[in-house]
Amino acid sequence: AYTVTFASNEGSGTVNSQAGLSGNTATLRENTFTRDGYLPAGWNTASDGTGTAYWTESGNKTYDFSKNLTLYAQWSEVTVSNPPALDYGYTTGNILTVSATAPLDHNTLSYRWYSNTENSTEGASAIENATDSSYTIPTGLSAGTTYYYCVVTASGDGVSTVTGTSSIAAQVVNK
């Protein structure tokens, strides 16, 4: 019997090892590790992604258990465009856009935008009706800085639901 071991590669959580008999092909476990600012993007035999890829858009989800193998979690960063400063009294808001790639077999991405007066996700408030991949900052903000980020959830039939929190974007309104 051979074993596939799953390494988090800067993520957290646990994905149990998977054993199989030589020559018996089986579907590999999905990457359910978590990592702040990222969504899972499959596995690779090299931590830097230069080896053989599994559970990627190429659809390579099986292994024949021909030897012991360590697979490293791969990650797709969730980012938000950083807006330029606005002058007080502006009449059109900047548009923030989140960029995220759904993991294999996760055919639905959903979005939830948050704002905060601090450069942190702690204490942030969900923005009402802000559930698209882009968010238009409202006009009429007072001078100062407001921080925005987006939580992206990827789901699909027969796979685990995973989330990634974007980087934080600072919107400055000049006096």
Side-chain angles (χ1 to χ4, degrees):
Y2 292 102
T3 301
V4 176
T5 303
F6 301 97
S8 66
N9 200 16
E10 299 184 39
S12 60
T14 301
V15 175
N16 293 329
S17 296
Q18 187 173 353
L21 297 175
S22 180
N24 288 346
T25 299
T27 299
L28 292 164
R29 298 188 196 287
E30 130 185 47
N31 179 357
T32 56
F33 287 118
T34 60
R35 182 176 174 193
D36 287 343
Y38 294 83
L39 286 172
W43 302 106
N44 200 290
T45 56
S47 62
D48 65 1
T50 59
T52 302
Y54 294 89
W55 263 90
T56 62
E57 291 307 314
S58 66
N60 185 13
K61 295 178 3 181
T62 62
Y63 182 63
D64 66 3
F65 291 93
S66 58
K67 63 180 180 178
N68 288 326
L69 182 67
T70 297
L71 292 177
Y72 297 88
Q74 299 298 292
W75 302 101
S76 174
E77 189 171 13
V78 179
T79 60
V80 171
S81 57
N82 210 8
L86 295 170
D87 291 325
Y88 182 74
Y90 64 98
T91 57
T92 59
N94 277 330
I95 297 175
L96 298 174
T97 303
V98 67
S99 175
T101 302
L104 182 65
D105 291 345
H106 292 77
N107 52 11
T108 302
L109 287 179
S110 58
Y111 307 90
R112 186 60 159 143
W113 287 91
Y114 293 81
S115 67
N116 202 346
T117 57
E118 304 291 327
N119 187 7
S120 173
T121 57
E122 289 186 35
S125 299
I127 302 170
E128 190 174 340
N129 299 319
T131 56
D132 292 320
S133 62
S134 62
Y135 172 68
T136 301
I137 295 171
T139 58
L141 289 179
S142 301
T145 304
T146 304
Y147 299 91
Y148 297 92
Y149 68 94
C150 186
V151 174
V152 180
T153 302
S155 59
D157 293 333
V159 292
S160 300
T161 297
V162 293
T163 61
T165 300
S166 74
S167 52
I168 296 174
Q171 177 61 71
V172 176
V173 177
N174 297 318
K175 289 184 180 184

